[in-house]
Amino acid sequence: EIYTLSLHDALPIYRKIDSLLVECSGLSEVLPVAQTFFADPFVQAAFRLDSVVCVCDASNFEKLEGGSDGGVGAAGEDVAQLLREQLAISDVCLLNKCDLIDSSQRDQLAQRIRRVNPAARLVPCRQGKVNLGQVLKVNSFSLDGAISIDAHFLGEDGHGHNGHNRS
């Protein structure tokens, strides 16, 4: 079953939940969501950020991101930048709709994604179907990686709002 609730609402039932998946819907800013796991003392004590997963539309990537020449995609610079930021913070990239591109295009796309984030694990998939073992309980979130993207990830003092530095 899928539940929609706040992390505070989830605490009474979290012991019954194997994993809690936070979905950021499409092109959105992921860093502020990830920061919640370190900035909010309640959330920090009750939950652990296991990984950040990005779903990448293989068939439309170039249109959104802008191409291998570093140009701007048809969707504009803001969308291209947001896509690159999502890829940069991600631990796992689900390369969806691989059935709509050929293997050469998939290989080129994988190379471009690795230029943005060499550490991300790329998981080709079709119609969003993926082995959950590749995205849940993989323990791949890197606090150091998040800080390298945003030096203020943990807040002004570098330790989050409650002074604890957890990874």
Side-chain angles (χ1 to χ4, degrees), residues 27 63-67 70-85:
L27 285 169
K63 181 175 23 173
L64 296 173
E65 196 263 341
V72 176
E77 180 57 37
D78 290 342
V79 169
Q81 182 62 32
L82 197 52
L83 176 59
R84 287 188 287 272
E85 287 174 10

Side-chain angles (χ1 to χ4, degrees), residues 48-53 91-92 135-141:
R48 179 181 59 83
L49 182 57
D50 178 71
S51 63
V52 176
V53 179
D91 308 304
V92 178
V135 293
L136 297 177
K137 298 182 182 179
V138 294
N139 195 29
S140 60
F141 178 74

Side-chain angles (χ1 to χ4, degrees), residues 145-160:
I147 292 170
S148 74
I149 293 166
D150 180 355
H152 302 290
F153 181 81
L154 290 176
E156 294 304 315
D157 62 0
H159 295 93

Side-chain angles (χ1 to χ4, degrees), residues 4-165:
T4 302
L5 42 89
S6 76
L7 292 175
H8 289 264
D9 294 336
L11 186 59
I13 60 171
Y14 89 97
R15 284 185 169 80
K16 299 176 188 174
I17 297 174
D18 293 329
S19 296
L20 180 65
L21 181 72
V22 179
E23 203 277 327
C24 292
S25 292
L27 285 169
S28 61
E29 293 185 26
V30 177
L31 275 174
V33 176
Q35 286 171 321
T36 301
F37 287 87
F38 299 91
D40 183 309
F42 172 84
V43 174
Q44 187 179 32
F47 298 94
R48 179 181 59 83
L49 182 57
D50 178 71
S51 63
V52 176
V53 179
C54 175
V55 179
C56 182
D57 182 339
S59 65
N60 289 301
F61 185 86
E62 190 163 334
K63 181 175 23 173
L64 296 173
E65 196 263 341
S68 57
D69 61 358
V72 176
E77 180 57 37
D78 290 342
V79 169
Q81 182 62 32
L82 197 52
L83 176 59
R84 287 188 287 272
E85 287 174 10
Q86 280 188 353
L87 288 170
I89 189 73
S90 296
D91 308 304
V92 178
C93 177
L94 300 180
L95 203 50
N96 196 29
K97 300 184 183 179
C98 282
D99 53 320
L100 301 179
I101 61 173
D102 62 39
S103 60
S104 172
Q105 290 172 305
R106 187 184 67 229
D107 292 345
Q108 289 174 357
L109 179 54
Q111 288 175 3
R112 286 172 49 199
I113 291 171
R114 284 197 172 92
R115 279 196 295 269
V116 174
N117 185 346
R121 186 164 34 98
L122 299 178
V123 179
C125 53
R126 298 172 181 198
Q127 299 178 343
K129 294 179 183 173
V130 63
N131 178 334
L132 291 180
Q134 294 178 296
V135 293
L136 297 177
K137 298 182 182 179
V138 294
N139 195 29
S140 60
F141 178 74
S142 167
L143 184 57
D144 291 336
I147 292 170
S148 74
I149 293 166
D150 180 355
H152 302 290
F153 181 81
L154 290 176
E156 294 304 315
D157 62 0
H159 295 93
H161 292 271
N162 65 358
H164 298 288
N165 186 350

